[in-house]
Amino acid sequence: MDLGLNEEHSMGTTIIGVTYNGGVVLGADSRTSTGMYVANRASDKITQLTDNVYVCRSGSAADSQIVSDYVRYFLHQHTIQLGQPATVKVAANLVRLLAYNNK
């Protein structure tokens, strides 16, 4: 019996962002896999950070989720301290710094 264990299989995540005059549309697949095993067919790879900032996650689900949680917390603190919402640039820099400094 051939189980197809030696055949190629996709392990990647598909995420996309498309800009238009009114904003950005984000999309992502919903499958979380561990090698050939599909661990979850309905995972949410688009995570809200603020009212108007979202992040598309890929890679280790646990790692990308904790980075999102930290960034959400820091952006909330930023908004409280400055009295205005954080910009997309601030959010992107926080993600960049957390990812780079915690390789």
Side-chain angles (χ1 to χ4, degrees):
M1 176 166 61
D2 182 15
L3 299 175
L5 297 177
N6 294 323
E7 295 178 18
E8 284 189 38
H9 58 279
S10 174
M11 298 186 314
T13 290
T14 301
I15 55 177
I16 187 169
V18 179
T19 61
Y20 67 101
N21 289 342
V24 178
V25 175
L26 300 175
D29 68 314
S30 62
R31 188 178 78 174
T32 300
S33 60
T34 305
M36 289 180 55
Y37 173 72
V38 176
N40 186 348
R41 291 192 182 278
S43 76
D44 191 3
K45 296 180 182 179
I46 302 174
T47 302
Q48 185 175 13
L49 299 178
T50 68
D51 287 343
N52 66 325
V53 178
Y54 291 76
V55 64
C56 292
R57 300 183 298 109
S58 67
S60 169
D63 292 341
S64 64
Q65 185 60 55
I66 197 68
V67 169
S68 297
D69 290 345
Y70 276 120
V71 170
R72 186 181 308 109
Y73 171 78
F74 290 137
L75 292 175
H76 180 71
Q77 294 303 312
H78 179 277
T79 299
I80 290 171
Q81 290 177 356
L82 297 181
Q84 61 186 12
T87 64
V88 174
K89 185 175 182 176
V90 168
N93 277 320
L94 278 171
V95 171
R96 180 185 59 82
L97 287 169
L98 280 170
Y100 183 80
N101 292 327
N102 296 286
K103 294 179 203 171

